[in-house]
Amino acid sequence: MKLLSGFLLFFSLQSLHAQDIIKLYDGVAPGSENATWKEQVSTQNMFNTEVIYNVTEPSLMAYLPPKHLTTGTAVIIAPGGAFHTLSINSEGIDVAKYLNSIGIAAFVLKYRVAPSFTEDPVKELMSKMGDSKSLDAENAPYVKQATQDGIKAMEYVREHASEMEIDPNKIGFMGFSAGGTLAMSVAYSAPQSSKPNFLAPIYAYQPAVLGSEMPAAKTPIFITVAGDDQLGMMPMSISIYEKWYEAGQPAELHIYEKGGHGFGMRQQKLPVDTWYERFGDWLWTQGLRDKIRPSKYEKIYGQWEIAQGNKEDGNKLKNDMGGIKRYADANKRDKGKKIKAVLIGDSITDAWYSLDSSFFQKNNFIGRGISAQTSSQLLIRFRQDVIDLKPEKVLIHIGTNDVAENTGPYSPELTVGNIESMIDIAQKNGIEVVLASVLPATKFEWRLGLGDKSDEILKLNTRLKALAKIRGLKYIDYHTPLKNAGNGMDPDLAKDGVHPTMKAYAIMGKLVLDALK
């Protein structure tokens, strides 16, 4: 096994980046000595996605997360394609990118598949799909080869774990359709030293050739499938779940009503579109998402709470939508004091006070931020957290989580309307209002499926600036001094692209002091 181009001879594996290729065998893979076909790519096919076929040289495509996000957890990803093709993007690379965003190292496995004899492997495969028994028989030797490749991938990642900041006891195996078959086969047949620590078969197929020996060690499993799967994978997923449950193994099963077969990372405007977020949640419950290097903010609040919304702060909508309980005691303590200004907002405001409370204290400011909140939630608690305290001024800074759709689909009209309602309430009570822009951001780690929303943030800031002008309010433009060329924030200003560092807060602090003179 070696990295192509002699990579290991010159650099540490820690410097791996997307698409570094790790060859699993030195020379020809055992069993493929007589293979005459060569690996190819198909982009125009009935699957409407790029697929790889005629794989004879198994390899891993390594995707390591940014250093500040690293958790030590890794997942080997096996794309599907009925052991004839590999859906390399939707069931491979796109999954790896999501996992990287939550600090998980990912390795997309290109395993051996049955040969295709035309330039349209998908059409060729579809002609065989009507006879499952015949297809299983044809695939049988390649399932065995693929299993060898999967075990070899496990061996490689575990052997080189320390070089890539991976915990050798936190290596999982995820597979889609035929890749799910491969994941289960590795779990059943690999020697103990090469068995995965956890599994994620996604709409997995289990042919008769697959073994059935349960892992003896604890091996949590996460299973996902759609009820309308055209290939009938739903009963098979239930069967896997029942087997794990009856063996006393940790198991979680998600069955979506709609989604069909092969949903992967596709967006269909259905609940199944966010299945990968549920997988991310499950990784938390298994203790697989704690960062190796948590920020000071994450140490204060706990990493789960930062990612999901602090439960004690009332961000569970069904219990306390506005988060009124969070500052109830503090409001009793501060009521009657002479307060220069209340800074109200979301986690950006919350973290600011936690990281630099002296800025608030010496300027007679009070922080009233709650992680993950939107403008709708802010409006609910505005009277308790601002009006009842009777400050001279209030700085309203909200909008990031509106755009991120934390409490539902984003509506700029609703967001601006909520902010305008807060302005009305404050002015009616003689409190001067200052508006702040939304900070730059190109993506939200907890909502990666939304894609790049930097344009939406720019549009919202344009509306907020116009609103401030119409209402005669001071407006703080955080966006301009913090943005980079892509309208996001560089790591020195926000390690995760959203939450400011102390360097960014210093810039913001000067703007606030100028506005609140």
Side-chain angles (χ1 to χ4, degrees), residues 177-195:
S177 192
T181 302
L182 173 53
M184 300 307 298
S185 185
V186 170
Y188 290 142
S189 61
Q192 189 59 46
S193 61
S194 300
K195 285 188 182 294

Side-chain angles (χ1 to χ4, degrees), residues 352 395 397 436-437 439-440 476-482 508 511-512:
W352 195 349
L395 169 55
H397 180 204
S437 74
L439 268 61
I476 301 177
D477 179 11
Y478 291 141
H479 194 280
T480 299
L482 296 178
M508 295 165 64
L511 296 173
V512 169

Side-chain angles (χ1 to χ4, degrees), residues 74-267:
V75 176
I76 295 171
I77 306 166
F83 290 102
H84 277 62
T85 65
L86 301 178
S87 181
I88 201 67
N89 291 324
S90 177
E91 297 176 351
I93 295 171
D94 293 344
V95 182
K97 290 179 178 178
Y98 165 70
L99 291 174
N100 279 183
S101 77
I102 59 173
I104 311 296
F107 299 85
V108 180
L109 174 62
K110 291 201 295 183
Y111 55 91
R112 284 173 285 177
V113 294
S116 298
F117 301 99
T118 69
E119 293 184 355
D120 192 342
V122 175
K123 183 178 180 181
E124 192 175 334
L125 169 63
M126 294 304 289
S127 68
K128 304 175 182 179
M129 294 293 286
D131 187 345
S132 60
K133 289 185 179 180
S134 177
L135 183 58
D136 283 349
E138 179 185 351
N139 284 341
Y142 299 100
V143 173
K144 292 180 180 179
Q145 288 186 355
T147 300
Q148 291 173 8
D149 301 340
I151 294 172
K152 202 73 172 174
M154 281 296 307
E155 289 177 358
Y156 184 91
V157 176
R158 190 157 280 150
E159 287 173 5
H160 295 274
S162 62
E163 301 163 28
M164 298 182 284
E165 281 202 311
I166 292 169
D167 185 331
N169 298 312
K170 293 183 178 180
I171 302 172
F173 210 118
M174 167 184 274
F176 297 79
S177 192
T181 302
L182 173 53
M184 300 307 298
S185 185
V186 170
Y188 290 142
S189 61
Q192 189 59 46
S193 61
S194 300
K195 285 188 182 294
N197 299 111
F198 60 93
L199 294 165
I202 313 300
Y203 42 86
Y205 176 55
Q206 290 208 89
V209 296
L210 188 62
S212 59
E213 184 178 345
M214 284 290 296
K218 179 182 175 182
T219 310
I221 194 167
F222 176 91
I223 307 162
T224 300
V225 70
D228 63 349
D229 189 299
Q230 299 94 325
L231 301 184
M233 302 304 185
M234 192 253 287
M236 293 188 182
S237 294
I238 294 174
S239 176
I240 295 172
Y241 172 81
E242 288 178 338
K243 187 172 183 178
W244 242 250
Y245 178 78
E246 290 168 2
Q249 289 273 18
E252 184 162 321
L253 170 63
H254 292 260
I255 301 177
Y256 292 89
E257 179 186 2
K258 296 180 180 179
H261 187 75
F263 50 78
M265 296 294 280
R266 298 174 187 265
Q267 295 296 299

